[in-house]
Amino acid sequence: MGKFDAYKIDLKGMKDNTCSCEFVLDNRFFEEIDAPEIRTGKVNVILNVRKTAGIYELSFKIDGVVQVTCDRCLDEMDQPVSSVDVLKVKLGSDYLEDGDMVVIPEEDGMINIAWYMYEFIALDIPMKHVHEKGKCNKAMEGKLNQYLRTLADEEKDGGEEDLDDSIASDNVDPRWSELKKIIDNN
């Protein structure tokens, strides 16, 4: 038995036009899926499958918490996930993915939903992962603030002019100077 066999749905063998399944995705699932974004968590997935006119509509209701790395302090942080996603599947001659429609070979009649569940969870995570204010690693915040204060102090002391002169003397691409102006405005 393969590590993701529990996530195979036998569409061809469905007796009724609807069925429901529940899955609990834990640390083991995320370790085995071996994807970079999420390594641990606990997520409940309720799957409802409905067959209409040769198309199977798989509705995923996802709720839980995953751990991701904070972009600011690099510690792990809890990220709640909650989404409702739909995947349409039909039987055909060859496997094909086209948008939200998946065609699976009719002789197989089964679809493994493990990767789809992972993708739905990963897509629900915001692009920026940052702890709430005051929850970041204090030591790392101290280092960041020390660096930011040093940069600000250099600008106040005229160090920025010296820095600009040294950059100009090194014949740096002028596009970097324009980017530096954008950073300084933030």
Side-chain angles (χ1 to χ4, degrees), residues 96-159:
L96 174 70
E97 283 190 43
D98 184 27
D100 68 342
M101 177 68 76
V102 176
V103 179
I104 59 172
E106 190 163 356
E107 63 269 4
D108 291 344
M110 297 184 96
I111 184 168
N112 191 322
I113 59 167
W115 185 253
Y116 295 106
M117 290 188 295
Y118 176 82
E119 282 186 335
F120 292 144
I121 293 167
L123 288 172
D124 193 52
I125 297 173
M127 290 294 291
K128 187 174 182 180
H129 317 135
V130 180
H131 282 106
E132 293 178 23
K133 190 166 181 81
K135 301 280 185 182
C136 274
N137 180 320
K138 300 296 183 203
M140 183 61 83
E141 273 189 334
K143 292 279 186 191
L144 287 171
N145 288 335
Q146 178 185 1
Y147 173 74
L148 291 174
R149 262 189 253 124
T150 302
L151 185 58
D153 293 342
E154 285 178 8
E155 289 174 3
K156 288 179 189 174
D157 295 339

Side-chain angles (χ1 to χ4, degrees), residues 11-38:
L11 299 175
K12 196 173 179 180
M14 280 179 55
K15 303 267 187 256
D16 298 326
N17 287 338
T18 62
C19 75
S20 294
C21 306
E22 288 189 39
F23 302 97
V24 177
L25 310 180
D26 56 8
N27 294 346
R28 184 172 177 217
F29 172 83
F30 292 110
E31 288 170 11
E32 289 177 347
I33 203 91
D34 196 30
E37 186 75 20
I38 306 166

Side-chain angles (χ1 to χ4, degrees), residues 27-69:
N27 294 346
R28 184 172 177 217
F29 172 83
F30 292 110
E31 288 170 11
E32 289 177 347
I33 203 91
D34 196 30
E37 186 75 20
I38 306 166
R39 292 287 184 207
T40 58
K42 185 171 184 181
V43 179
N44 297 313
V45 179
I46 298 172
L47 170 66
N48 291 308
V49 181
R50 188 175 61 144
K51 179 182 177 184
T52 56
I55 295 178
Y56 299 87
E57 186 177 274
L58 284 68
S59 298
F60 298 84
K61 184 175 183 323
I62 298 170
D63 284 304
V65 175
V66 295
Q67 283 75 42
V68 294
T69 304

